[in-house]
Amino acid sequence: MRPHPVVFASMPLRHGKAIKHASVQRVFTSGRLWFAALRRAPRSLRRLARGAAIHAPVSHCAGFLLGAALAGLAATAQGADWKLEKGISARATYTDNVNLAPSGREESDLYTEVRPHLGIRGKGGRLQLSADYSPRLLYYVNENSRSRVAHELASSAKLEAIENFFFIDANADISQEFVSPFGPQPGDVGLDSGNRIETRRLRVSPYIQGRTVGNIDYLGRYETTWTDTDRESLANARRTRWLGRLSGPPQRIGWSAEAFREETKFEDQQTFTNNLGRLIVSYRVVPTFRLEARGGYEQNNFGLTDREGAIYGAGLDWRPTPRTVMNGFWEERFFGSSFGANITHRTRLTAWRLAASRDISDFPQELFTLQPGFTPLLLDAIFATRIPDPVERFDAVIRFLQENQIPLFLNTPLRFFTQRIFLRERYEASAAINGVRNTVVFSVFYSDNEPVSTTNAILPPELLLVDQPFTQTGASISYTLRLTRLSNVNLLLAHTRTKREQTLVGSRPDSEQDSVRLTYSTQLAPKTRGLAGVRYQQFDSNDPLFNNYNEFAVFVGLDHRF
């Protein structure tokens, strides 16, 4: 008889403790038994957890990535150290508008969310692995047909196939995203607005890198990314990139040269291509200040027309103190000015960040790009003084966020689904302040979006709204007050607005969403926390595709780590 899933959660390993490579095979085997036990469970549980069997082609690759990495490390990385992280959380929520319907058509419901978590970290020999899987099992009391599983996976692996020469990077992710920036974007996965999709991504990137006799660094990389969703009306995508780069030795006058080709192919559409070559010459004025001159040539085909021309620009990097960094660049390209700038500063209790960018992008690329408002990045800067080791610091930051109910992301420009190449201009400011009893994290942003590619494909209605330029603005703040050594209260406020700049006929689409959440959290046992809270949100839009709504909910929950 195969063991019950609880056997997997009760392996004789403590949270955060290192395990040797011999245990990897037991971990991998137990993982397969965990899914097998779900298939053998009673019918009611199988119906709820049916989604737990990852079914899409990309998601099969995600499971293969994890299994292959584990098996590879067990075979090649003798003496490697591993960390196995296990946990589970449970929530019960009563909402007065589970279907996010307009006034007069609301339906109330009580739903539960059970979220097991398995994390694996390993580094040894020539292989590194990091994987986190946290499926959300949702069950609704009044409307059982809504019950489902929402998958969340983040995994990466790096293999040094030939020592100091040939490497392979791989990533496999599953996440919950939104289709339209004009539609509702509820933060709770338990609320299905019809605007939410599950995206699955696999990236594989073999490359060579090294250094020649003359101390010239070289890099040759090939990267391919597959993206699909759980909605049939949205096209799957494949993105490929070839990159070659040479860099001179670090001297007062330095140089680097690179060339790349990018191809983005959406199902039943033409392939978008972008080719660019660039030379950068840098001059180190003083050890903390460097200037750059940039020049090159580009050619692209984003639909019905070809565009090509020279590019030129400048850049700088200034580090006036160990805690302050200012860098950026500007280039003139086919779409006008392209730029990127970052300013960061930290003190013992605060971290500050300003960022601006203007460049072309696409949906597959955005899914692997770290979005603004990432709270661990801010808190990591504050913790750097107290915890020098980056791995220990990362663990400490994640625990701090969980204990204080601070979200991983504050409001950010939405990673909306699009089957075009977009020009995106973004500005963002964020900060974190961590005191003895108070922690404040806030973020504001502005994003201007404009399509630069054309297509003859017939797009679904929800994608037509982003077929013309539009803007996104937003702000959010998280405030935590520590009442005692074991308990705290967190207040989260958020506001976003999406507005089209122009329209051919009728009114300009305009959507606004506001939300507030208040959460009380306390430690019940050394590895267990309890919480309770309330939330309220409202959504207003002048577009007939979406319903205006108000929603109020109360929730309780438990978080436990093994």
Side-chain angles (χ1 to χ4, degrees), residues 58-106:
V58 170
S59 301
H60 279 299
C61 295
F64 174 78
L65 169 64
L66 177 60
L70 290 174
L73 187 58
T76 64
Q78 299 295 321
D81 288 335
W82 284 80
K83 286 186 178 180
L84 179 63
E85 301 170 357
K86 310 180 298 296
I88 190 168
S89 64
R91 301 284 188 274
T93 303
Y94 174 81
T95 174
D96 66 353
N97 192 1
V98 69
N99 55 339
L100 300 181
S103 178
R105 298 191 306 186
E106 302 96 332

Side-chain angles (χ1 to χ4, degrees), residues 16-31:
K17 294 294 185 180
I19 58 178
K20 295 300 181 181
H21 72 280
S23 301
V24 171
Q25 294 176 340
R26 293 197 296 271
V27 174
F28 185 46
T29 302
S30 299

Side-chain angles (χ1 to χ4, degrees), residues 203-235:
R203 183 181 73 95
V204 178
S205 178
Y207 63 98
I208 60 172
Q209 71 175 13
R211 178 171 294 176
T212 65
V213 177
N215 288 327
I216 296 176
D217 294 329
Y218 62 87
L219 170 68
R221 179 187 286 270
Y222 170 77
E223 177 181 298
T224 185
T225 303
W226 295 269
T227 305
D228 70 3
T229 74
D230 60 354
R231 187 170 299 187
E232 293 184 0
S233 62
L234 303 181

Side-chain angles (χ1 to χ4, degrees), residues 126-145:
R126 297 184 180 182
L127 184 64
Q128 302 176 31
L129 173 70
S130 175
D132 290 277
Y133 180 55
S134 301
R136 299 172 183 260
L137 285 75
L138 298 161
Y139 176 77
Y140 296 77
V141 174
N142 293 339
E143 191 63 47
N144 190 40
S145 61

